Amino acid sequence: MFKPKSRTRLAGALGLLAFVAGCNIGPRYHAPTAPAVTAPNFKESTVNFQDTDGWKVANPQDAMIRGYWWEIFKEPELNNLEEQLNVNNQNIKISFQNYMAARAVVAEARAQYWPTITANPAWTRSKSSSNLHNSSTANTGQASTLWSAPIEASWTPDFFGKIRNQVHEAQFTAQASAADLELEKLTEQASLAQYYFEIRGQDMLQKILNDTVAADQKALDSAQGSYDSGVGDYISVVEAKATLQSARSSQMNVGLLRAQYEHAIAMLLGKVASDFSIPVKPMIYVPPAIPTGVPSQLAERRPDVAAAERTLAAANATIGIGYGAFFPQVTISATGGFQSSLLKHLFDWPSRFWSIGPSAAETIFDGGLYRAALHQYEAIYNADLATYRQTVLTAFQQVEDSLSATRIYSQQILRQQEAVNASQQFLDLEMQRYNSGVDPYVDVVTAQTTLLGNQVTLNSLQVEEMLSAVQLVQALGGGWDHSQLATPAQTAAHTANSDYTMQH
């Protein structure tokens, strides 16, 4: 029985132990404030350009893209390719495995909460020296056998929160890795969509050049017929041939870029380029109305912003680890087991042995090492804070750039379409004047070149408009938002061994 005074001391010691165990040394983390934005709409949104023709955004105040963002383009073939990419893209698999590795690091950090238990059974046969006559303890000149079956346990209580900060640092880093995974998905998905629309633009360009070659062939036949009948001159034939051959050269060159875009898509899908092809389908696309949401929501929608913020939280936890180095490390160790010279008596009760006791280690002088390390962690935190804010600023820049590009391209396309129509009319009139003998054929060549140039420019602008629409969706974060980010508890959740099976 404990005396009242002893019980009081024991209760006080246990209370002090519980208090110290609850300590968490280091700065409390506060999520950083993003650069302030008060505008109700993005500056380059068409909401602020109501009087202009062309592309418009959709209800930016109360809508955002959800889920599979590429479906907004209503292109079934693109939807199918994106589904294949999500399963087979190797860069996405790399990021996923990096995330799984980060989760394993969380488990490693959490393992420090528990004691370490080891078993070290052994057998030794030894003989001491016969020349130890002055020793009172040596078994002089005798051989001995020792069987032992010890079990050792050691535990380092987390009195000052060092282990907790290590766990938090690992969890926040795993969250950053999860956000990096989502960023990689968005990057690969956007690249696929851009390559797809580039291919469709090349298909349309091929059709333009095919039609041009056919028209130039008719013009050459007409010039040749006029010359053969003695009505026309030979220079007209030469000019018509030169125009036709130039168009044919451009016609052949289109296939190069298309093939390269096709090969790039094959790589994104995890397929061998030699076994992959996309059928030709010339199409003219008009980007859909893309809901942008309000500017104040942007930081919550970007996975790169989430990754930067979680990296900052991990840096804060690392500072806590640095503070923990200034406090003593207490270890409780225990050893027990059986020892015997004869195996048959190894597990007899008199063969038992044991020892138990705590130890504490504290660095008295380190030449300022721990203080310098803490300063290093604080500087890294400040750099990560600046990185976070720079990431947010970059996000706004990218959205505004894509909004202005898509809006301005759409207006330019309207003017360019008028230029194409006027060029076609110019060519038709010039052909009539040439056939009636009013103008030389060189004027027809000028009209043909003008029409082809305007058609090529129009097609290029239409492709650029679609690429800007994809870039806008990417800048807005696709269909992702911060609520989808893995929580610290989810990063620490148990994972099956099969999740880490080596692949072949």
Side-chain angles (χ1 to χ4, degrees):
M1 294 290 292
F2 288 110
K3 295 180 180 180
K5 195 171 185 179
S6 298
R7 287 199 297 268
T8 302
R9 290 176 178 174
L10 178 61
L14 292 175
L16 178 62
L17 181 65
F19 172 77
V20 173
C23 291
N24 191 6
I25 306 301
R28 183 180 297 274
Y29 178 68
H30 299 283
T33 56
V37 54
T38 58
N41 299 297
F42 289 102
K43 185 183 72 172
E44 298 293 341
S45 170
T46 53
V47 172
N48 299 322
F49 297 88
Q50 296 286 355
D51 297 333
T52 58
D53 296 328
W55 179 81
K56 302 287 184 182
V57 298
N59 300 322
Q61 286 286 353
D62 56 6
M64 292 193 302
I65 300 172
R66 301 291 183 184
Y68 298 146
W69 60 265
W70 51 86
E71 293 179 350
I72 197 173
F73 294 102
K74 300 186 184 303
E75 181 56 44
E77 188 175 10
L78 175 61
N79 296 345
N80 180 51
L81 293 173
E82 293 284 4
E83 290 173 3
Q84 295 180 51
L85 176 139
N86 290 333
V87 175
N88 298 317
N89 182 270
Q90 299 303 308
N91 287 332
I92 292 177
K93 290 184 177 182
I94 291 172
S95 293
F96 175 76
Q97 293 302 327
N98 289 340
Y99 171 57
M100 294 300 292
R103 290 187 61 181
V105 173
V106 176
E108 293 173 17
R110 286 172 60 86
Q112 298 178 84
Y113 284 135
W114 305 97
T116 300
I117 301 174
T118 59
N120 186 25
W123 172 82
T124 58
R125 176 72 175 169
S126 62
K127 178 182 180 300
S128 63
S129 170
S130 299
N131 292 323
L132 298 177
H133 301 295
N134 294 327
S135 173
S136 60
T137 58
N139 190 11
T140 306
Q142 300 298 314
S144 63
T145 300
L146 179 63
W147 294 85
S148 62
I151 294 179
E152 299 179 1
S154 64
W155 178 45
T156 302
D158 190 25
F159 286 153
F160 303 105
K162 181 178 180 181
I163 296 177
R164 271 167 288 172
N165 280 313
Q166 289 175 334
V167 171
H168 292 159
E169 189 271 340
Q171 288 176 326
F172 297 149
T173 300
Q175 283 186 290
S177 181
D180 288 338
L181 170 60
E182 296 303 322
L183 178 62
E184 185 62 34
K185 287 181 180 178
L186 179 58
T187 300
E188 301 297 330
Q189 291 162 356
S191 294
L192 172 59
Q194 289 181 310
Y195 292 152
Y196 179 81
F197 290 123
E198 289 277 17
I199 283 182
R200 292 298 169 235
Q202 292 299 302
D203 290 345
M204 191 63 197
L205 179 59
Q206 187 72 67
K207 181 178 183 302
I208 292 171
L209 291 171
N210 290 347
D211 293 344
T212 299
V213 167
D216 289 350
Q217 183 64 58
K218 290 181 180 179
L220 173 59
D221 294 342
S222 176
Q224 186 70 51
S226 297
Y227 174 72
D228 292 342
S229 62
V231 177
D233 50 18
Y234 188 68
I235 193 172
S236 298
V237 176
V238 173
E239 289 171 339
K241 282 184 179 180
T243 303
L244 174 61
Q245 295 306 321
S246 177
R248 282 178 174 171
S249 175
S250 300
Q251 180 189 37
M252 296 176 63
N253 183 259
V254 173
L256 175 60
L257 275 179
R258 189 190 194 281
Q260 292 174 342
Y261 289 132
E262 193 174 66
H263 302 160
I265 289 179
M267 183 187 66
L268 290 176
L269 301 183
K271 296 183 177 181
V272 177
S274 303
D275 298 330
F276 179 78
S277 61
I278 293 179
V280 174
K281 186 168 62 174
M283 298 182 71
I284 298 176
Y285 289 95
V286 177
I290 298 174
T292 62
V294 295
S296 59
Q297 299 170 324
L298 181 61
E300 296 294 316
R301 299 173 58 185
R302 296 263 302 208
D304 56 342
V305 173
E309 188 274 328
R310 290 291 82 188
T311 299
L312 183 64
N316 185 82
T318 303
I319 294 175
I321 298 172
Y323 274 110
F326 290 94
F327 293 85
Q329 179 172 298
V330 178
T331 302
I332 301 174
S333 302
T335 302
F338 298 88
Q339 288 181 336
S340 174
S341 296
L342 298 175
L343 178 59
K344 66 179 181 179
H345 294 304
L346 176 61
F347 295 104
D348 292 350
W349 189 244
S351 299
R352 72 189 186 280
F353 72 93
W354 61 268
S355 67
I356 186 171
S359 64
E362 170 67 355
T363 300
I364 298 176
F365 178 75
D366 64 1
L369 174 63
Y370 289 165
R371 178 61 60 183
L374 183 60
H375 290 166
Q376 174 191 356
Y377 301 150
E378 290 170 338
I380 291 174
Y381 175 90
N382 291 335
D384 288 338
L385 176 61
T387 298
Y388 167 78
R389 290 175 175 160
Q390 183 65 29
T391 303
V392 176
L393 293 174
T394 301
F396 279 100
Q397 177 194 5
Q398 291 175 344
V399 172
E400 296 288 0
D401 285 349
S402 298
L403 279 169
S404 62
T406 309
R407 174 176 54 82
I408 293 171
Y409 278 135
S410 69
Q411 297 170 22
Q412 190 176 0
I413 285 171
L414 296 176
R415 305 289 86 79
Q416 189 63 32
Q417 184 62 63
E418 294 175 358
V420 169
N421 296 339
S423 299
Q424 183 64 61
Q425 186 178 14
F426 173 37
L427 176 59
D428 294 340
L429 292 173
E430 200 54 60
M431 284 297 297
Q432 293 176 9
R433 293 174 64 84
Y434 167 71
N435 290 330
S436 62
V438 176
D439 288 343
Y441 191 79
V442 67
D443 292 345
V444 175
V445 172
T446 300
Q448 289 173 322
T449 303
T450 302
L451 174 60
L452 178 58
N454 284 330
Q455 288 175 325
V456 170
T457 300
L458 175 61
N459 180 70
S460 177
L461 290 173
Q462 289 168 334
V463 172
E464 291 296 332
E465 183 184 27
M466 291 304 299
L467 299 184
S468 297
V470 174
Q471 291 167 357
L472 173 59
V473 175
Q474 183 179 5
L476 291 169
W480 189 87
D481 64 60
H482 194 272
S483 65
Q484 300 176 41
L485 182 65
T487 65
Q490 289 172 331
T491 64
H494 174 72
T495 54
N497 291 335
S498 58
D499 292 337
Y500 292 94
T501 302
M502 294 181 63
Q503 301 175 7
H504 299 282

